Amino acid sequence: MTAQLYLENTYLFESKAHILKHDADDKGAYVLLDQTIFYPQGGGQKSDYGKITGDGFELIVHDVRQVESEIRHYIDASNSDYSALKNCAAKCVIDGDRRLLNARYHTAGHLLGNVVESKYPSLKAQKCHAFSGEAYIEFHGFEMPNDQLFSNALQNAIAENLETKIFEMDRRSFESIYYKLPYEIPENKKFRVLQIGNYSPIPCGGTHVRSTKEIGEITINKMKQKNGILRISFGVK
Ligand SMILES: [Zn+2]
C-alpha cells in the first residue's frame, strides 16, 4: 500500500521514495512506490505530472491512476529496460505549477458548490469536473440562480480568505453532526473531509489550497438548466 503524501500536504512538490514494482497494463508501463506525492486522476481532478529519478535512471511520469489499491505512475517507456528498478531509491518531483492550478480549480469547485447550495437550498451539488479550461459543476434541482447574486457571494467568500480544513470522521459522527450522505460509506471507517470556513463539509480525497484567496478569481462562464440538472461552467484566473 502506497502512503499518499499528497493527502497530507498540497505543497509538497519533492520527496524520496522506493520503487516497489514495475509493470505494464493497457495504459502503458508504470511503477509503484512505497510513498507518493503524485495525485492520481480522480474525483474530478487531473493527475500530477513529474519525474522519478535515481542512480542511472530518469522516468517521466505522464499520468497517474489509482487501480484498486495501487497508485500507478505511468512512465515514458521509450528508454525501455526497467528490470533493475525494483527496490531502487528514487527522488520524486512533481510539476508544482500544474499541482497548484489543479488544486485551485478543485477548491473553486467546492466553494461554488457551497455558495450556490447556501443561497439556493433546493439545489444540491452532485458532480464537479475541475479540469482547467473545461470545468463545470452540476446540481440537482430546477432553480436557475441569479448569477449576480451568487457571484457577489462567491467574491465575498474569496475576499474573506476562508480557511480550508481537512479532518477525518466516521460516517455515524458525520451524519449526526452534518447531513446524511447521499452514498454509502462503510460504518466504522474514517474518511477524509474538507470544509471551507463554516460551509457544509464534504468527504473528499483531492488536493486543496490553504484558503480561498489562493483560488484567485472564479469566473462564471455559462449556466444551463436542463431536466432538473443545473450546470455551471467556470474558470479560475
Ligand atoms: Zn476536494
Side-chain angles (χ1 to χ4, degrees):
M1 187 77 178
T2 303
Q4 298 155 289
L5 302 181
Y6 56 84
L7 292 179
E8 294 161 21
N9 184 352
T10 296
Y11 305 88
L12 187 62
F13 300 154
E14 282 188 34
S15 83
K16 291 179 178 165
H18 273 85
I19 297 176
L20 300 178
K21 180 182 163 186
H22 66 92
D23 207 339
D25 62 17
D26 55 1
K27 291 179 73 67
Y30 66 84
V31 293
L32 303 183
L33 305 174
D34 62 340
Q35 57 176 9
T36 188
I37 51 174
F38 286 88
Y39 180 78
Q41 186 158 309
Q45 186 175 338
K46 282 182 183 173
S47 86
D48 285 313
Y49 291 164
K51 276 185 196 173
I52 302 172
T53 54
D55 192 10
F57 65 90
E58 178 178 276
L59 310 173
I60 305 294
V61 178
H62 59 79
D63 195 6
V64 187
R65 301 285 172 133
Q66 182 152 2
V67 180
E68 293 171 3
S69 63
E70 292 187 344
I71 296 175
R72 297 182 178 177
H73 303 74
Y74 291 94
I75 52 178
D76 190 342
S78 54
N79 44 353
S80 62
D81 184 17
Y82 300 115
S83 55
L85 290 179
K86 197 175 171 195
N87 294 324
C88 275
K91 180 184 169 193
C92 302
V93 181
I94 60 164
D95 177 338
D97 290 341
R98 178 180 168 90
R99 156 64 63 82
L100 285 182
L101 183 66
N102 291 346
R104 287 169 59 215
Y105 262 89
H106 179 76
T107 312
H110 279 293
L111 187 63
L112 252 171
N114 285 150
V115 167
V116 170
E117 283 184 348
S118 70
K119 290 270 167 209
Y120 300 92
S122 73
L123 294 170
K124 298 287 177 211
Q126 55 152 5
K127 181 185 177 189
C128 184
H129 177 78
F131 285 20
S132 58
E134 53 184 84
Y136 64 84
I137 177 166
E138 285 183 346
F139 298 83
H140 267 306
F142 290 89
E143 248 179 302
M144 186 65 172
N146 173 323
D147 62 345
Q148 198 57 49
L149 186 68
F150 86 79
S151 290
N152 289 345
L154 207 52
Q155 279 174 23
N156 290 342
I158 291 172
E160 283 175 56
N161 204 21
L162 304 173
E163 232 189 313
T164 62
K165 286 174 282 187
I166 296 284
F167 50 93
E168 290 199 332
M169 276 189 127
D170 61 48
R171 183 177 162 185
R172 186 169 298 184
S173 317
F174 184 91
E175 293 188 339
S176 68
I177 300 172
Y178 301 114
Y179 56 91
K180 179 150 176 40
L181 291 165
Y183 41 79
E184 290 299 316
I185 290 186
E187 290 284 351
N188 306 323
K189 193 173 175 251
K190 289 202 168 183
F191 51 86
R192 185 175 184 256
V193 179
L194 166 89
Q195 184 174 28
I196 300 179
N198 291 320
Y199 282 114
S200 200
I202 184 165
C204 186
T207 63
H208 310 96
V209 291
R210 279 177 286 241
S211 61
T212 52
K213 256 193 189 158
E214 285 189 43
I215 295 171
E217 187 187 338
I218 302 176
T219 56
I220 303 302
N221 301 330
K222 197 174 167 189
M223 289 203 290
K224 197 169 114 188
Q225 172 64 262
K226 194 178 174 190
N227 301 330
I229 302 287
L230 168 73
R231 178 183 281 203
I232 300 178
S233 302
F234 67 96
V236 161
K237 53 181 187 176

